Amino acid sequence: MSTYARELEVARRAVRQAAALCARVQRGVEGLEKSDKSPVTVADFGSQALVCATLAEAFPEDPVVGEEDSATLREHPALLAQVTREVDAERGADAAQVCAWIDRGATREQRPRFWTVDPIDGTKGFLRGEQYAVALALIVDGELVVSATACPNLPLRPDDPERGVLFSAVKGGGAFAEALAGGARWPLAVSAASDPAAGRFCQSVEPAHSDQEQAAALAAALGIRAPARKLDSLAKYGIVARGEAEIYLRLPRPGSTRAECIWDHAAGVLLVTEAGGRVTDTRGAPLAFRHGAHLTHNRGVVASHGPWHDRILDTLSAFEEDA
Ligand code: AMP
Ligand code: MG
């Protein structure tokens, strides 16, 4: 078996099962009309419980750095009961077990080998019925080595009426996509575009998450004509990895000191680099996944198909000097 083949298989299985729970909760009448918050909360907790349960079985020694913990859930018995029902539908579980699984993913302990999970990235997209992702990555000695990302609402291929993609990658082994519904995997490659006039870039839907004015100025400076494509979650990395856009920009807003969370990026970074692209922060530094739960040594993110990357960084640096 090749390096990390088992980890990849387990990661794909884990996010596929969690995505099934999320999709069911999102479709379900239960809660969605009654309140905005509860269904997403159910799915966030349920998804993390399932991913951590699968990892606990397969790799009991590995810590998991995840977004959620069970503290709030324990204070809301009705919600906990709902999460337990949803998790139980995927694999037998009681409430205590569900909380224990969630909290397996609440560690901030530093170890050379650990997983990071975002049980639902793009919560706002999930609530709008748009894009969201379940993202899981394995980091060993600061290096991304395995990634699996489920995007239940993303077209299987560009413009495909079928939705639900599972992206995966192993360091040195390439990037792949497959239907969440099952079937063969196929390799991904970034865009081969050379003329920025035909370039496409993507960014967050939420204006608070990235400086959209600066992104527009950057696109204009590069000669890109198309407006930004806006979508929630790590689906943006998938879009770049499969050649549907050349650039994903996450530009900190002026004055922002917020450090990005590792689970919002780890799986996507390996996906894009294995598809032949490049990912750095806005100053050209590689994203550093060895400083805890946040990318404290980085500022923003630029992911691209490669050929224009240095020009993007130079332009951003010129903007910074002008500011
Ligand atoms: P996206 O769907 O790409 O906009 O990213 C969703 C993620 O943005 C969430 O999981 C949050 O961790 C993260 N986030 C929340 N607030 C901010 C912010 N002010 N700037 C950048 N990212 C943020
Ligand atoms: Mg997130």
Side-chain angles (χ1 to χ4, degrees):
M1 214 186 231
S2 65
T3 322
Y4 298 121
R6 181 155 171 264
E7 284 83 350
L8 177 66
E9 189 275 314
V10 170
R12 285 167 51 232
R13 182 154 48 84
V15 299
R16 179 175 258 134
Q17 186 183 46
L21 180 151
C22 297
R24 195 173 56 237
V25 170
Q26 191 178 41
R27 265 194 316 269
V29 274
E30 232 179 281
L32 205 60
E33 283 78 23
K34 282 184 252 163
S35 130
D36 258 11
K37 271 270 178 262
S38 60
V40 70
T41 311
V42 168
D44 283 346
F45 290 123
S47 172
Q48 180 155 320
L50 286 175
V51 169
C52 290
T54 301
L55 292 177
E57 252 166 25
F59 306 109
E61 303 300 316
D62 290 351
V64 185
V65 178
E67 186 165 11
E68 311 299 339
D69 65 56
S70 76
T72 333
L73 196 55
R74 288 174 198 269
E75 289 163 13
H76 296 88
L79 193 61
L80 176 56
Q82 213 181 337
V83 174
T84 305
R85 257 200 318 279
E86 293 296 340
V87 174
D88 190 49
E90 296 293 331
R91 58 179 300 156
D94 61 18
Q97 182 68 76
V98 165
C99 288
W101 282 330
I102 292 169
D103 287 335
R104 257 204 112 246
T107 182
R108 294 296 178 262
E109 182 192 339
Q110 295 274 297
R111 290 247 204 104
R113 170 175 157 136
F114 68 96
W115 296 83
T116 185
V117 62
D118 195 336
I120 291 195
D121 183 42
T123 311
K124 291 179 176 165
F126 179 82
L127 285 168
R128 280 190 241 99
E130 295 173 8
Q131 294 309 319
Y132 67 97
V134 179
L136 179 61
L138 176 63
I139 297 165
V140 178
D141 296 328
E143 276 208 80
L144 300 165
V145 293
V146 171
S147 118
T149 305
C151 298
N153 285 342
L154 194 67
L156 184 54
R157 292 185 171 82
D159 303 321
D160 198 319
E162 182 179 342
R163 282 166 193 266
V165 198
L166 201 173
F167 294 111
S168 60
V170 175
K171 188 172 175 56
F176 294 85
E178 65 198 286
L180 264 180
R185 281 191 285 166
W186 63 90
L188 299 179
V190 293
S191 163
S194 57
D195 181 4
R200 299 154 296 177
F201 74 104
C202 59
Q203 64 189 9
S204 290
V205 174
E206 296 302 322
H209 294 184
S210 187
D211 186 339
Q212 302 190 350
E213 292 72 35
Q214 193 181 54
L218 171 66
L222 290 170
I224 292 175
R225 298 197 187 121
R229 177 169 170 190
K230 295 179 186 174
L231 62 169
D232 301 281
S233 84
L234 282 99
K236 293 185 279 297
Y237 284 104
I239 294 295
V240 172
R242 70 182 186 185
E244 213 175 330
E246 284 73 34
I247 306 171
Y248 161 26
L249 297 171
R250 197 174 192 92
L251 309 177
R253 297 180 63 83
S256 167
T257 53
R258 180 184 181 278
E260 298 285 339
C261 305
I262 57 170
W263 50 78
D264 285 336
H265 299 284
V269 173
L270 188 64
L271 186 70
V272 165
T273 53
E274 284 299 320
R278 208 175 141 191
V279 185
T280 66
D281 73 1
T282 53
R283 291 164 178 166
L287 301 190
F289 292 94
R290 51 169 86 242
H291 306 292
H294 295 90
L295 296 171
T296 48
H297 289 52
N298 296 108
R299 187 164 168 76
V301 178
V302 176
S304 85
H305 74 321
W308 312 333
H309 206 94
D310 288 330
R311 274 182 62 200
I312 297 168
L313 298 176
D314 289 348
T315 309
L316 288 174
S317 151
F319 286 168
E320 214 170 304
E321 277 164 28
D322 290 349

